[in-house]
Amino acid sequence: MSAPTTTDPVARARDAAARESWAEAYELLHDHDRHPERGLTADDLSVLADSAWWSGHVDESVAARLRAHAAYLAADDHRGAGLTSWWLYYEYAGLGRPAAAAGWLHRARHHLEDLPDCPEQCFLAMTAAEEASAHGDHESALAATRRMTALALACGSPDLLALARQSESRVLLAAGRRAEGLALLDEAMCAVSAGELSGMVTGWLYCLALTQCMEAADFARAVEWTNAAMEWCAPPWTGRPPDGNADTGTAPDTEDPSAALAPLPMTVPSGENPFRGVCRAHRVEVLDLLGAWALAEAEARQACREVPVDCLESAAAAYYAAGDVQRRQGRLEAAAVSYGHAHELGRIPQPGLALLRLAQGRADAAVAGVDLALACRNDPDHDVLGRARLLAARTEVALAVRDLPGAAKAAADLAALAGAADGDVPLLRALADTALGSVALAERRPGALLPLRRALAGWLELRVPYEAAQVRMLLAAACRAAGDEEAARLELGTARAVFERLGAVPDARRAAALLGGVSRRRLPGGLTAREAEVLRLVASGGTNKDIAGALVISEHTVARHLNNIFAKLGVGSRTSATAYAYAHGLV
């Protein structure tokens, strides 16, 4: 749309808002509003509130909306007053003022509930669905979302219809109807990807969809929508990421734990997309799972700078994800700082903090932390992935303190959670198989290999390298227990290479130590290392002369080694010795 030719700043601001040029609209209305004699209408005050929010001036947005409500009320416009009341409820809730939010929600209902059907009532229906779902009343929640859909269809609003679809999908997912819920979410996101919606609803749906996908453990959808969200959020004025490290993947210098992440600002710069920090925080969690740790930490830094003051839970998520990266890299003090920031912003930093305490040798604190977190999240319908991760950590911590019954129970609960999902959920299945296999291995049961191989296949399919390498470590132990030393060496070597590539220093050292232990392990039959070399060459068909040439020794020495080998193994021929070599993994 071309800019208007009028010199009237209010008309120009209205046009800028219609084009979603929020910084321009804010500057025009903000300057105009500084002169008391130049009054703004209720609609203009609503535009000022919207543009102030988009420009990072949350306090001004609330103030302008309060004035807009008074103006609508003075004009006896209950639809305008009701919608403004709902937005005040939403903004106050984001600012952590629940009493004020509850008052404005009650006022929104007072304005709108007795009116004939109108688009503004969609927002009341959406809130009613959220409240009913939070209380486990899925039937009432679905009824509210379907009323929202009917209202949206009646008024022909693509924004409201997409919000209705998303709201219903959330209720269905909470009710355990995964396939239906994800299908509706995909339908809502079609409108997003097609560019059919306003900027507010587009950003809103990206945030909601990313949260839903991660809570439902749908990693593939989370990756897809995270990438799409960041493309939508990208500033048009530059082709490079805002953070200097973000385009190279270079890990920031965070040797000083106090500088683990940059301080959190209270506003975003004027004119920037306030959804960017929120979407970037979701991206950090995806990058963490994909093994792009340096980029994940750089993105976490940037997310904490960009998150607006009314979305601080996203900053908490970014701090937490950064703590997980730092913990796995062995930067334990920096991880403690990041988890502390996440806690300050209202997030329980578990299970990461429990695993950090375990790495610090504080096993009692690890057990207490993960148990308390599980007690606070007994409802498996909400954030399935969060509960699954807690159960996986509970299994790991219990095994570390030799609490085999506790580990077995946590693994069984995790398997039940994965089995209860509507349809196959690869991420949950991989977590459950890892836990079941680790418990079977600790109990010295012969059935550990099967779940561990399933777990490895699952992590590889999901392209999640760190967890795959951890399973390889368990597989190495299981193979070694079964007498397959060669398979153990292969698994440990691959795990070590992955850990080194990721920068998981403690795990890489552990893999290297175990790999050396396998190589130095006592050979079967009491053979010496030189005798084992001779036996391998015999098994490959070498003659005494061939073996002497390969090992640079005399044929007489080869014959002496063979006599010793036959005596130690209790065999009388080269054929029997070869069979022994194959049976004991020496070839």
Side-chain angles (χ1 to χ4, degrees):
M1 295 175 63
S2 61
T5 57
T6 178
T7 58
D8 179 7
V10 176
R12 290 164 55 202
R14 292 170 187 160
D15 179 79
R19 292 182 280 111
E20 296 191 344
S21 180
W22 296 112
E24 179 186 354
Y26 170 76
E27 292 297 334
L28 289 166
L29 289 175
H30 179 73
D31 290 343
H32 184 84
D33 195 46
R34 287 154 74 178
H35 303 282
E37 70 277 6
R38 301 177 182 177
L40 292 174
T41 67
D43 288 343
D44 293 332
L45 287 167
S46 292
V47 173
L48 175 58
D50 290 341
S51 60
W53 184 87
W54 277 96
S55 302
H57 306 286
V58 179
D59 290 342
E60 290 185 51
S61 173
V62 172
R65 221 173 287 281
L66 288 168
R67 292 168 59 198
H69 176 267
Y72 282 123
L73 203 58
D76 201 29
D77 182 350
H78 285 277
R79 285 178 56 181
L83 181 60
T84 304
S85 297
W86 188 90
W87 277 111
L88 283 165
Y89 146 75
Y90 180 80
E91 290 193 88
Y92 276 125
L95 291 168
R97 296 184 57 186
W104 282 105
L105 179 59
H106 179 77
R107 185 166 287 192
R109 289 171 174 155
H110 172 74
H111 286 304
L112 296 172
E113 281 182 340
D114 294 331
L115 296 180
D117 287 354
C118 59
E120 291 80 4
Q121 292 169 347
C122 280
F123 294 96
L124 293 184
M126 183 168 66
T127 304
E130 291 172 354
E131 292 177 338
S133 186
H135 289 93
D137 186 355
H138 303 308
E139 185 176 343
S140 296
L142 281 175
T145 62
R146 285 163 185 167
R147 168 165 168 73
M148 187 180 177
T149 299
L151 290 167
L153 289 170
C155 69
S157 168
D159 277 358
L160 294 178
L161 184 59
L163 283 172
R165 297 278 190 250
Q166 186 280 329
S167 184
E168 186 173 353
S169 77
R170 188 174 187 85
V171 173
L172 289 170
L173 287 170
R177 295 161 62 177
R178 179 184 180 86
E180 295 174 77
L182 290 175
L184 270 178
L185 179 62
D186 288 344
E187 184 179 347
M189 296 306 290
C190 280
V192 173
S193 57
E196 298 170 358
L197 309 179
S198 68
M200 174 62 77
V201 174
T202 295
W204 211 351
L205 287 181
Y206 271 130
C207 292
L208 294 170
L210 292 172
T211 300
Q212 283 178 249
C213 289
M214 290 307 294
E215 288 180 352
D218 194 319
F219 187 55
R221 278 184 172 85
V223 172
E224 180 177 349
W225 292 124
T226 297
N227 292 336
M230 290 310 300
E231 287 180 14
W232 175 75
C233 287
W237 54 86
T238 178
R240 62 178 178 80
D243 191 298
N245 292 323
D247 57 347
T248 64
T250 302
D253 182 7
T254 52
E255 291 301 317
D256 178 7
S258 66
L261 288 177
L264 183 72
M266 290 296 103
T267 61
V268 294
S270 178
E272 292 194 4
N273 186 335
F275 288 107
R276 185 181 306 133
V278 179
C279 293
R280 198 184 301 277
H282 286 292
R283 187 176 185 229
V284 172
E285 189 172 7
V286 169
L287 290 171
D288 176 22
L289 281 169
L290 291 175
W293 289 355
L295 182 56
E297 190 171 359
E299 291 285 85
R301 286 174 171 275
Q302 194 63 27
C304 293
R305 297 187 187 108
E306 293 174 346
V307 167
V309 68
D310 54 346
C311 295
L312 293 185
E313 68 276 6
S314 296
Y319 277 125
Y320 178 82
D324 276 353
V325 170
Q326 293 156 347
R327 170 177 56 80
R328 290 166 171 172
Q329 290 177 331
R331 297 157 53 202
L332 302 187
E333 291 185 33
V337 171
S338 294
Y339 289 143
H341 286 325
H343 184 264
E344 289 168 8
L345 293 173
R347 175 173 180 138
I348 299 175
Q350 296 290 3
L353 184 58
L355 297 174
L356 172 65
R357 297 302 180 225
L358 191 62
Q360 294 171 329
R362 299 171 57 186
D364 291 344
V367 172
V370 76
D371 282 350
L372 182 59
L374 275 169
C376 294
R377 300 177 76 164
N378 278 328
D379 182 7
D381 291 339
H382 176 69
D383 193 4
V384 175
L385 180 58
R387 181 167 177 79
R389 283 173 161 166
L390 284 170
L391 289 169
R394 181 65 179 92
T395 305
E396 183 177 344
V397 169
L399 289 174
V401 299
R402 305 304 300 165
D403 176 15
L404 294 185
K409 182 181 185 307
D413 289 346
L414 180 50
L417 186 65
D422 179 13
D424 185 39
V425 187
L427 187 53
L428 293 182
R429 179 165 36 85
L431 281 168
D433 285 336
T434 302
L436 292 170
S438 63
V439 170
L441 181 64
E443 293 176 343
R444 302 182 184 276
R445 288 192 274 117
L449 279 170
L450 181 59
L452 289 176
R453 293 206 181 281
R454 283 201 311 261
L456 178 59
W459 292 122
L460 291 175
E461 178 187 353
L462 290 164
R463 302 180 186 276
V464 177
Y466 179 78
E467 280 72 10
Q470 290 279 36
V471 172
R472 287 190 188 277
M473 299 284 282
L474 296 170
L475 272 171
C479 291
R480 197 170 172 184
D484 192 345
E485 296 292 330
E486 183 64 24
R489 279 193 293 272
L490 287 172
E491 297 295 358
L492 288 172
T494 304
R496 178 185 181 182
V498 173
F499 290 142
E500 288 176 346
R501 176 174 60 81
L502 292 173
V505 176
D507 293 294
R509 289 174 179 164
R510 185 163 59 97
L514 289 171
L515 191 58
V518 169
S519 302
R520 294 189 300 271
R521 191 183 180 199
R522 178 183 291 181
L523 293 164
L527 297 174
T528 65
R530 175 62 87 182
E531 289 166 351
E533 287 180 307
V534 171
L535 181 55
R536 290 190 187 100
L537 292 170
V538 168
S540 66
T543 65
N544 285 13
K545 183 177 181 180
D546 296 331
I547 297 170
L551 299 180
V552 197
I553 57 178
S554 68
E555 290 186 48
H556 175 75
T557 303
V558 173
R560 179 169 54 80
H561 283 314
L562 277 175
N563 287 331
N564 291 336
I565 290 168
F566 289 171
K568 288 180 178 180
L569 303 185
V571 299
S573 68
R574 299 170 83 96
T575 302
S576 297
T578 297
Y580 184 97
Y582 275 100
H584 290 81
L586 294 173
V587 180

